[in-house]
């Protein structure tokens, strides 16, 4: 059986404490995007639209034609040049009437392709049911996914600037006496650091960290909220992101910080055995392979022995790959190393 080649990527993160702007690690509470959604029709398809089994598309075509004073019985519609789609967009904060939004179009019927189609005017609604934008335009699929028969089989596309905002969301931020900053990751230390940096650079007592996620800013009498936020969000804080391991089981990709260590342990997975132990040049065998990072690996048929002063997730995965382990084996081993406590950072499975 042909061995699976490991598709693994290690992103090396600088683990030293770096100066990071407040706006990169915290957001202003209430200032956020809002999701919009709508149901529409894409027309002009070259026989690649929904078939007769998509009854909702046929009914939608009939309803659309009635809006232009053309009455057609849905049973008489046999066209395959139309596809029913869901249209989505994000309404950014402080967006104004007449601004344009990028939209994404996704087929919900049995259409084969949206290539060459045009989206008819589609109202986009918020969670409250109100219409906030109108979408229309030619669908772009970006030349993705060419099928084996030479035809494009893409059932999703987008239109840059394809929606026009018709209704605004009101943000009365100017008259607020205070505003909250929300940290993107909970941390007592980071919240306290933000409080200290703001108070030392601006007036004392402006910022107060009330929990590991929230810092309250009080507006001074002679400064507007807009001016206060413009100063605060540009301030720099000594910040170090927490180490973690991210595993994508679908693609076999593992992303890890470069310094995520693995404690000495012996682990058996199927017919693979791993022994991680502290480095000792005196104990190295003749068949040990010296790695460029100073570690040594000895491998029998299915036995892997890793010796280095500090074994990392990166070196374990690299050694397993050299042994010929499959991506699924490597992922399972890393998960089990976490379960037994040999890895001390969070492991996120996607």
């Amino acid at each position: 059986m042909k061995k699976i080649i490991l598709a693994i990527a290690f992103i090396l993160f600088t683990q030293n404490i770096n100066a990071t702007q407040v706006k990169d690690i915290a957001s202003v509470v209430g200032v956020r995007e809002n999701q919009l959604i709508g149901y529409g029709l894409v027309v002009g398809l070259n026989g690649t639209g929904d078939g007769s089994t998509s009854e909702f598309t046929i009914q939608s075509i009939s309803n659309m034609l009635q809006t232009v004073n053309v009455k057609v019985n849905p049973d008489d519609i046999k066209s395959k040049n139309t596809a029913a789609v869901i249209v989505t967009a994000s309404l950014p904060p402080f967006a104004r009437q007449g601004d344009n939004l990028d939209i994404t179009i996704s087929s919900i019927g049995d259409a084969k392709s949206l290539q060459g189609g045009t989206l008819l005017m589609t109202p986009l609604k918020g969670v409250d049911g109100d219409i906030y934008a109108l979408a229309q335009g030619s669908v772009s699929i970006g030349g993705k996914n060419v099928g084996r028969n030479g035809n494009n089989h893409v059932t999703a596309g987008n239109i840059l600037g394809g929606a026009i905002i018709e209704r605004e969301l009101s943000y009365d931020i100017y008259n607020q006496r205070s505003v909250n900053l929300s940290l993107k990751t909970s941390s007592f230390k980071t919240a306290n650091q933000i409080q200290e940096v703001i108070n030392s650079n601006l007036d004392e007592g402006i910022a107060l960290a009330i929990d590991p996620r929230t810092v309250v800013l009080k507006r001074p009498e002679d400064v507007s909220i807009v001016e206060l936020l413009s100063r605060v969000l540009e301030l720099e804080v000594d910040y170090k992101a927490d180490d973690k391991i991210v595993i994508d089981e679908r693609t076999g990709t593992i992303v890890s910080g470069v310094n995520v260590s693995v404690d000495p342990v012996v682990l058996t997975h199927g017919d693979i055995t791993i022994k991680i132990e502290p480095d000792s040049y005196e104990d190295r065998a003749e068949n040990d392979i010296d790695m460029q990072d100073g570690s040594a690996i000895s491998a029998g048929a299915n036995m892997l022995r890793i010796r280095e002063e500090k074994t990392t997730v990166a070196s374990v995965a690299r050694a397993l790959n050299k042994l010929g382990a499959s991506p699924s084996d490597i992922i399972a081993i890393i998960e089990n190393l976490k379960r037994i406590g040999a890895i001390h950072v969070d492991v996120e499975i996607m």
Side-chain angles (χ1 to χ4, degrees), residues 12 30 39 82 105 108 167 170 194 230 296 325:
L12 306 182
Y39 171 83
T82 305
I105 300 98
I108 59 173
R167 181 188 180 95
S170 60
I194 291 177
S230 69

Side-chain angles (χ1 to χ4, degrees), residues 2-4 6 26 60 140 151 177 250 262 269 285 294 298:
K2 194 172 181 179
K3 292 184 178 179
I4 300 174
L6 174 66
S60 298
S140 172
N151 295 321
R177 299 296 304 173
R250 182 177 59 86
V262 181
H269 173 78
S298 60

Side-chain angles (χ1 to χ4, degrees), residues 20-63:
T20 303
Q21 290 184 318
V22 173
K23 64 182 180 182
D24 294 327
I25 57 178
S27 57
V28 181
V29 175
V31 179
R32 63 179 182 83
E33 293 183 337
N34 288 271
Q35 300 301 312
L36 304 179
I37 190 170
Y39 171 83
L41 294 174
V42 171
V43 299
L45 304 176
N46 187 18
T48 60
D50 294 340
S52 57
T53 56
S54 298
E55 296 182 3
F56 52 87
T57 303
I58 296 173
Q59 184 62 56
S60 298
I61 295 174
S62 177
N63 295 342

